[in-house]
Amino acid sequence: MFESLKKAFSQIAEKVKMTELSEKEIEKHIDEFKLQMILSDVAVEVVDKLAEKLREELSQLKFKRFTDPSAQIREVIYKMIDEILPQEGLIERVLEKIEEKKKQGEPLVILFVGPNGGGKTTTVVKIAKYFKDRGYSSVIAAADTFRAGAIEQIKKLGEAIKVKVVSQRYGADPAAVALDAVMSARSSRIPLVLIDTAGRTEVDINLLEEMKKIKRVVKPDFVIYVGDALIGNLAVEQAKKFNEYVGIDYVVLAKLDADAKGGAAISISYVTGRPLLFIGTGQRLEDIQPFSKKFLQQILIPH
Ligand SMILES: Nc1nc2c(ncn2[C@@H]2O[C@H](COP(=O)(O)OP(=O)(O)O)[C@@H](O)[C@H]2O)c(=O)[nH]1
Ligand SMILES: [Mg+2]
């Protein structure tokens, strides 16, 4: 996880050893840094932004005597990440919203969208477990009525964590399944509804239209895009597309454990303007973590 990014950041920290840098040296370091970022799957606009900040910081940097310049460079990088990633406390805000809806006698409804195979179904169940462990049960809507085996898959996963799964037959209207789940949650006073949906191999206009329709009918409180970290920049582009077309509130990146690059994790919220809420870190249902820039900083810039 993040090996390539870690290398990129530590390289720059190790290489800048001079007490004072000439403009030429700064440019050389920046070019190398940019290349490493691109190779780590960081989106180009984020690479440019980071390079610009790095240039600014390096040209102002006066190394303190008798200190290790690499420690100062780490500080600089720490600050750069701090500036491009959104604020903390995202999960707390979701929990507050659940409480707020609860007072109104309504469940909080979250619609999950994303490409086929990206990790949506697994993520829905992981999130159900995450909230259940914190005292909030949920009803899952098996609104992927398209892919063969999808309903059985989510029912089995739901059973494993003892969460109710509302389903209909294959080919049923996904919005109807979602509304069924909302009604079920309302009548049993369950505070959360998580709607799994179908993806397609291609993120095409039909899929986007279908998600838009479900959103219009169900009126979820949040829409979460679930992307596959392994596809790097493509996940960022897809999230952008879903955001422009359907409108998303948060992003979850699955399969970060299998992704040695990690660039999507630092790009996706900057490019889409939507925060990264959770990351998927394995195939087990407990393999999910709230994302925070502190977490990323600790991984990338060990002190
Ligand atoms: N390594 C790893 N695999 C994952 C993760 N999330 C999902 N997967 C796997 O990705 C595959 C597709 O997941 P699924 O949830 O069915 O994707 P969907 O088509 O978007 O619903 C499955 O084999 C999952 O076990 C993750 O965080 N890490
Ligand atoms: Mg699925």
Side-chain angles (χ1 to χ4, degrees), residues 26 30 33 46-60 76-85 270:
I26 290 178
I30 291 196
F33 178 70
V46 177
V47 173
D48 288 343
K49 182 87 189 164
L50 287 173
E52 188 193 308
K53 285 196 177 298
L54 188 62
R55 184 178 290 115
E56 231 169 71
E57 298 279 349
L58 287 184
S59 59
Q60 285 173 7
V76 165
I77 295 170
Y78 205 86
K79 221 169 95 185
M80 276 167 25
I81 294 180
D82 202 60
E83 283 175 27
I84 68 154
L85 291 182
Y270 182 84

Side-chain angles (χ1 to χ4, degrees), residues 54-95:
L54 188 62
R55 184 178 290 115
E56 231 169 71
E57 298 279 349
L58 287 184
S59 59
Q60 285 173 7
L61 203 59
K62 294 273 180 291
F63 291 109
K64 294 178 195 108
R65 283 175 76 183
F66 312 118
T67 58
D68 175 10
S70 67
Q72 261 176 283
I73 296 286
R74 279 197 204 100
E75 281 303 317
V76 165
I77 295 170
Y78 205 86
K79 221 169 95 185
M80 276 167 25
I81 294 180
D82 202 60
E83 283 175 27
I84 68 154
L85 291 182
Q87 288 316 303
E88 304 291 280
L90 298 171
I91 301 287
E92 288 73 12
R93 252 176 277 158
V94 174
L95 291 172

Side-chain angles (χ1 to χ4, degrees), residues 35-47:
L35 180 64
Q36 285 303 325
M37 289 287 113
I38 298 276
L39 291 175
S40 307
D41 262 353
V42 179
V44 174
E45 52 197 292
V46 177
V47 173

Side-chain angles (χ1 to χ4, degrees), residues 8-164:
F9 286 126
S10 66
Q11 254 179 14
I12 179 96
E14 291 312 312
K15 280 193 176 152
V16 180
K17 294 274 189 209
M18 316 284 171
T19 35
E20 220 159 282
L21 294 169
S22 69
E23 227 163 84
K24 215 171 128 197
E25 281 159 345
I26 290 178
E27 282 317 309
K28 196 179 120 229
H29 288 310
I30 291 196
D31 282 348
E32 274 174 35
F33 178 70
K34 281 172 85 166
L35 180 64
Q36 285 303 325
M37 289 287 113
I38 298 276
L39 291 175
S40 307
D41 262 353
V42 179
V44 174
E45 52 197 292
V46 177
V47 173
D48 288 343
K49 182 87 189 164
L50 287 173
E52 188 193 308
K53 285 196 177 298
L54 188 62
R55 184 178 290 115
E56 231 169 71
E57 298 279 349
L58 287 184
S59 59
Q60 285 173 7
L61 203 59
K62 294 273 180 291
F63 291 109
K64 294 178 195 108
R65 283 175 76 183
F66 312 118
T67 58
D68 175 10
S70 67
Q72 261 176 283
I73 296 286
R74 279 197 204 100
E75 281 303 317
V76 165
I77 295 170
Y78 205 86
K79 221 169 95 185
M80 276 167 25
I81 294 180
D82 202 60
E83 283 175 27
I84 68 154
L85 291 182
Q87 288 316 303
E88 304 291 280
L90 298 171
I91 301 287
E92 288 73 12
R93 252 176 277 158
V94 174
L95 291 172
E96 276 166 25
K97 185 84 185 167
I98 298 177
E99 285 296 335
E100 207 183 296
K101 297 278 299 200
K102 221 167 136 184
K103 283 192 195 118
Q104 300 162 8
E106 287 290 326
L108 182 92
V109 180
I110 306 179
L111 173 67
F112 291 81
V113 299
N116 195 29
K120 234 174 5 278
T121 302
T122 316
T123 300
V124 167
V125 181
K126 283 177 175 178
I127 289 181
K129 178 174 172 7
Y130 180 90
F131 283 115
K132 190 167 188 240
D133 292 346
R134 280 150 191 83
Y136 299 95
S137 191
S138 39
V139 173
I140 292 175
D144 178 354
T145 59
F146 178 78
R147 187 179 62 81
I151 299 175
E152 289 77 13
Q153 179 195 8
I154 199 153
K155 271 189 173 167
K156 203 169 142 211
L157 291 171
E159 261 167 39
I161 59 161
K162 298 192 170 57
V163 160
K164 183 173 177 182

